[in-house]
Amino acid sequence: MTEDDDGLHLNQLDRCDNIEFDAITPDEKGNTLFFKGDHLWKGFHGAAQLFNESFKELDNFHHLGHVDAAFLMHTNENPQDHDHIYFFLNDKVFSYYGHILKEGYPKEIQQDFPGVPSHLDAAVECPKDECISDSVLFFKGHDVYNHDIVTKVVKKKTWSHLPKCTSAFRWLEHFYCFHGHNFTRFQPLSGEVTGAYPKDARNYFMKCSDFGHGGGYSLPKCSQVSVDAITSDDAGKTYVFKGPIYMRLDVGHDSIHAFPISRMWKEVHDTVDAVFSYNNKIYLIQRDQVYIYRSAGHYILIEGYPKPLQEELGIEGPVAAAFVCAENHVVHIIQGQKMLNVDLSATPRAVSTETLLPVSNVSGALCGPDGIKLFKGSEYYRYESPEVLGRSKIAPEPLNITSALMGCHD
């Protein structure tokens, strides 16, 4: 067995020990791959393995024992390239899908990416809405090359304020420059950095015994979980709110982290009472106020909000839970043991029907392909549809929240 650049053998290489990654990228299944020397970690925890076990040609062609940069292609314009992983080694580029090298590779970098230099430091994909068009950001020193995937036009910028990135990563629609064992979050169009950075990657992107998961937050046991609010937006992103934090549930258990609500919805502080998604917008209800955000790209507060609940939905607060089912214009609002139905397509909005529920003290509600879930403590009640819920006189047997359903461990 050969040694990597730091002289560490496979059974000694520990990513919790001041590792500076060579490259980070998701694969086509959403698993995060971390590269260091000739080693690879799959996911946010687990042991290292030799990367030629998964991508053998990287070693067969060059025997370099490292990767300069990597990214997952995101493009709806060129479906033949979508979800391919691109690796960069010196002046060569490799394209993989399903861990199989695409015919014709490796190539000179300039054949696929004209205007992009060799010997790169990092690369990261930037989908449309987060960048102006589907793009790739390539890093070399303080220079950043924005490559338009469709037109192949490259625009060079110099971000001297950003640390020199040894790897870059897009995660939960945010962009991260990794340097040493730290990372700095940046805005992909300008390189702007806001907030207190750098931060230690071991608090967020891996599980290390002496470091806090997600900056000091640890995932609770499923028997201890409770929900303040929950929703899935039109893009399929599922958010759960508890106190001043939120988590994304659609990213896979290994990637679940807690963040302050104000990180995503910066005007909202403290606890959210209820939340629902409708027509590419997300509604966050806090006491007698409602905040409405556009869901395209990052969440942007619509001008004029927050507004009083009475003005927006024709009801008084507080609200315990709310949900909207797909391709439906009615928001079902739960207050105490009552469910109020409000037609969101009507003007002005007002309560159309009111129903007494068989379940009390509901704290969150979600409508999905498998029906309605009403959350109460660490349990939930399932109904086939809002109509079935509205007609029910007796509560069904409660079901326990599981790790497959929520960010928790058994």
Side-chain angles (χ1 to χ4, degrees):
M1 180 180 300
T2 60
E3 295 183 340
D4 72 355
D5 297 337
D6 293 330
L8 295 174
H9 292 290
L10 177 62
N11 60 1
Q12 296 175 320
L13 194 57
D14 182 356
R15 60 175 153 181
C16 293
D17 187 21
N18 295 321
I19 289 291
E20 182 175 75
F21 295 110
D22 296 331
I24 306 172
T25 183
D27 66 13
E28 71 279 2
K29 295 180 180 179
N31 302 309
T32 304
L33 308 179
F34 296 83
F35 293 84
K36 175 62 178 176
D38 56 359
H39 299 86
L40 160 67
W41 292 266
K42 294 182 178 180
F44 285 49
H45 64 91
Q49 60 182 255
L50 292 171
F51 71 56
N52 61 13
E53 295 176 8
S54 298
F55 305 98
K56 63 180 181 178
E57 294 87 358
L58 295 178
D59 192 50
N60 290 346
F61 277 94
H62 288 283
H63 306 286
L64 293 178
H66 75 280
V67 175
D68 289 338
F71 76 91
L72 180 70
M73 177 69 80
H74 181 97
T75 174
N76 295 318
E77 302 292 337
N78 301 324
Q80 70 276 11
D81 297 325
H82 183 67
D83 274 356
H84 285 63
I85 303 177
Y86 284 78
F87 294 100
F88 298 83
L89 291 83
N90 286 353
D91 59 352
K92 296 292 191 295
V93 58
F94 297 71
S95 177
Y96 281 84
Y97 183 77
H99 292 224
I100 298 173
L101 184 67
K102 188 175 178 180
E103 186 177 354
Y105 286 84
K107 295 181 179 179
E108 299 290 326
I109 291 175
Q110 285 71 28
Q111 287 182 258
D112 272 1
F113 304 95
V116 174
S118 58
H119 301 278
L120 292 163
D121 293 328
V124 65
E125 72 279 6
C126 190
K128 187 177 180 180
D129 292 332
E130 295 170 33
C131 281
I132 296 172
S133 60
D134 286 338
S135 307
V136 184
L137 304 180
F138 294 97
F139 296 79
K140 185 168 183 177
H142 289 295
D143 293 333
V144 181
Y145 299 80
N146 186 312
H147 171 89
D148 186 301
I149 291 171
V150 176
T151 66
K152 295 189 178 296
V153 171
V154 173
K155 295 181 180 179
K156 179 183 175 183
K157 302 177 182 180
T158 300
W159 291 347
S160 56
H161 62 281
L162 199 65
K164 291 183 180 180
C165 309
T166 60
S167 58
F169 184 38
R170 173 181 172 266
W171 185 59
L172 302 183
E173 291 80 51
H174 288 88
F175 292 78
Y176 299 90
C177 163
F178 284 75
H179 44 97
H181 61 266
N182 293 321
F183 69 89
T184 295
R185 181 157 63 94
F186 65 92
Q187 206 279 344
L189 291 176
S190 64
E192 180 184 3
V193 176
T194 57
Y197 290 95
K199 293 182 179 179
D200 197 312
R202 292 169 291 188
N203 281 324
Y204 295 85
F205 293 97
M206 60 202 79
K207 295 182 179 179
C208 301
S209 58
D210 296 326
F211 295 85
H213 183 70
Y217 177 85
S218 59
L219 296 178
K221 292 183 178 180
C222 293
S223 59
Q224 299 172 333
V225 167
S226 60
V227 172
D228 286 342
I230 186 170
T231 190
S232 291
D233 69 11
D234 293 338
K237 304 169 189 172
T238 300
Y239 299 95
V240 62
F241 299 80
K242 178 61 182 175
I245 66 168
Y246 78 93
M247 295 187 294
R248 275 273 300 273
L249 300 183
D250 58 294
V251 295
H253 190 273
D254 191 45
S255 300
I256 291 175
H257 293 260
F259 297 99
I261 293 172
S262 57
R263 177 181 185 267
M264 184 70 73
W265 302 277
K266 63 181 181 180
E267 294 83 4
V268 178
H269 303 277
D270 202 16
T271 300
V272 171
D273 297 329
V275 60
F276 65 91
S277 300
Y278 172 71
N279 196 24
N280 291 312
K281 300 180 183 68
I282 187 168
Y283 293 62
L284 284 82
I285 299 172
Q286 193 176 61
R287 293 178 287 280
D288 61 350
Q289 298 285 306
V290 59
Y291 298 75
I292 304 180
Y293 288 81
R294 291 189 181 91
S295 300
H298 296 290
Y299 291 99
I300 300 172
L301 185 67
I302 294 177
E303 187 175 355
Y305 287 85
K307 289 184 178 180
L309 266 173
Q310 179 64 52
E311 180 181 339
E312 184 65 32
L313 297 177
I315 63 170
E316 299 287 346
V319 173
F323 65 92
V324 175
C325 295
E327 300 180 0
N328 198 298
H329 300 291
V330 175
V331 57
H332 307 275
I333 297 169
I334 298 174
Q335 292 182 316
Q337 206 166 342
K338 296 185 300 183
M339 183 169 73
L340 313 177
N341 297 332
V342 177
D343 187 346
L344 295 171
S345 64
T347 303
R349 293 168 174 171
V351 175
S352 57
T353 58
E354 181 178 313
T355 307
L356 185 66
L357 297 178
V359 180
S360 60
N361 299 320
V362 171
S363 61
L366 181 68
C367 183
D370 57 346
I372 312 297
K373 296 183 181 71
L374 302 183
F375 293 89
K376 180 178 178 178
S378 61
E379 298 177 328
Y380 69 96
Y381 300 83
R382 183 183 172 277
Y383 296 85
E384 291 182 9
S385 67
E387 292 74 24
V388 172
L389 172 60
R391 294 194 304 265
S392 297
K393 303 300 181 183
I394 301 174
E397 195 71 25
L399 302 170
N400 292 324
I401 290 175
T402 66
S403 58
L405 179 68
M406 199 71 67
C408 57
H409 61 87
D410 298 325

